[in-house]
Amino acid sequence: MGQDTNLSVPSRENSISLISSGRLRHIAFIMDGNGRWAKKRGMPRKFGHSYGASKFKEVVRYCGDIGIEFVTVYAFSTENWGRPEDEVASIMKLLSDYLGECEKTADKDNLKMRFIGDLSPFDRAFRDRVEALEKRTADHKNSLNIALNYGGRDEIVRACRRLAEKGEPITEKAVSDSLDTAGIPDPDLIVRTAGEQRLSNFLMWQSAYSEFYFTDVLWPDMTPREVDKAVSEYFGRQRRYGKV
C-alpha cells in the first residue's frame, strides 16, 4: 500500500500495547529512497546515504523502545556493487563508521548484532571487527540484523551448498537451519519505503508468509510515527498461513 496522509497517526502507546501481544516480534526494513531524497535537494546521492544512516539508528532505537525483539535492515545488496564507485565508497565508509560507533555503545544499547550476507569480499580487518562485535553482543536483549553484501538467492545457494558438502539431505528445515538467519524467526512484517513494491532479492526464503507494508515515504524521512503506522496496519490484517 502507499502512504495515505489522511490516515490518523497511531500513538506510540498504541504500538506498545499491540506489540505486547507477542504477534509482532520481527520487522525487516528495505531502506529505499536515499538517492532520490538527496536529488530532490540538489545534493549528491552520498549525502542521502549519510542522512539515511542517521535515520536508521533512530528507527532501530524506536523499534526497541516499543518492544520489537528483532529488526533486520537491508544495508547493502549483492547488486549494489554495480553502483557508481564513489557512491559505493561512501556507503562502505558509513558502514565502517557505524561499526566504530557500535563498538563504543553496544553494551549501552543492549543490541545483539548480527551480520547476514556473504562477507568474503571485505578485508580481513573488517571481518574481524564484525566477528568481534557479534561475539561481544551475543547475550544482549534485542537483535539487530544487518544484511550486508546480501542477496536472497545467493543465501539459498550458499545454504544448499553447505548441505551438499556435508552430504546432508536437503529438507525445508535443513535449508532454514543453514541460512544466514538460522535461529532468527522469520519476519512478521517487511516495510519498504520510497513507493517501490517488490522484494529486490531480500529474505526470499524467510518472507514466504510475511506481511508487507509499502509507503511512499523516502527512507531519510522515515520517522517513529511512520513505524507506528506500519505496526497499526499490520495488526489490522489477518494472517492465515494458507489456512482458512
Side-chain angles (χ1 to χ4, degrees):
M1 61 168 290
Q3 180 195 22
D4 185 348
T5 55
N6 294 319
L7 291 175
S8 60
V9 180
S11 68
R12 176 179 182 274
E13 290 73 20
N14 187 48
S15 290
I16 293 174
S17 176
L18 291 170
I19 290 167
S20 65
S21 69
R23 290 170 48 213
L24 177 54
R25 301 178 63 203
H26 185 178
I27 295 183
F29 292 95
I30 301 176
M31 306 181 293
D32 200 6
N34 289 334
R36 276 170 280 177
W37 185 89
K39 184 177 180 181
K40 285 173 63 177
R41 289 158 178 77
M43 303 294 289
R45 290 175 59 86
K46 62 183 181 180
F47 178 77
H49 291 302
S50 179
Y51 200 89
S54 64
K55 186 59 63 172
F56 148 73
K57 298 170 195 174
E58 177 187 354
V59 169
V60 169
R61 189 174 296 113
Y62 181 72
C63 286
D65 289 344
I66 61 176
I68 300 296
E69 299 174 59
F70 299 88
V71 174
T72 300
V73 295
Y74 205 4
F76 192 82
S77 75
T78 51
E79 294 80 15
N80 286 160
W81 294 107
R83 292 188 174 189
E85 187 174 334
D86 63 334
E87 182 176 347
V88 172
S90 69
I91 294 173
M92 291 299 112
K93 185 179 185 307
L94 287 170
L95 286 168
S96 181
D97 290 346
Y98 181 68
L99 267 185
E101 183 176 329
C102 288
E103 287 162 349
K104 296 177 182 177
T105 65
D107 297 324
K108 177 183 176 183
D109 292 341
N110 203 23
L111 279 176
K112 181 189 297 183
M113 304 291 298
R114 186 161 171 180
F115 291 78
I116 62 174
D118 179 10
L119 300 187
S120 61
F122 297 93
D123 61 42
R124 183 70 258 177
F126 184 87
R127 298 200 305 272
D128 286 345
R129 292 175 68 191
V130 165
E131 291 170 11
L133 188 59
E134 288 181 331
K135 289 178 181 177
R136 175 181 165 187
T137 63
D139 295 326
H140 288 178
K141 181 182 178 182
N142 294 325
S143 295
L144 171 59
N145 312 300
I146 299 179
L148 183 58
N149 191 35
Y150 176 88
R153 290 179 175 180
D154 175 69
E155 179 188 27
I156 295 169
V157 168
R158 288 187 286 106
C160 291
R161 186 179 294 130
R162 292 187 192 107
L163 292 173
E165 289 172 352
K166 295 176 183 177
E168 297 182 6
I170 298 178
T171 64
E172 184 174 322
K173 183 179 187 306
V175 172
S176 291
D177 290 344
S178 298
L179 295 172
D180 299 341
T181 55
I184 301 171
D186 291 341
D188 299 298
L189 175 63
I190 296 179
V191 176
R192 180 161 189 161
T193 58
E196 307 296 345
Q197 298 188 23
R198 57 180 178 271
L199 270 177
S200 296
N201 204 15
F202 182 53
L203 301 178
M204 303 290 288
W205 179 279
Q206 300 88 335
S207 64
Y209 281 102
S210 300
E211 294 295 321
F212 294 87
Y213 178 84
F214 302 107
T215 174
D216 293 333
V217 172
L218 302 176
W219 178 256
D221 291 325
M222 193 68 175
T223 64
R225 289 161 65 88
E226 294 299 330
V227 174
D228 288 336
K229 287 182 183 179
V231 168
S232 181
E233 171 76 14
Y234 171 84
F235 279 99
R237 301 179 187 178
Q238 184 177 1
R239 302 181 75 187
R240 298 187 179 87
Y241 299 97
K243 303 174 184 178
V244 177

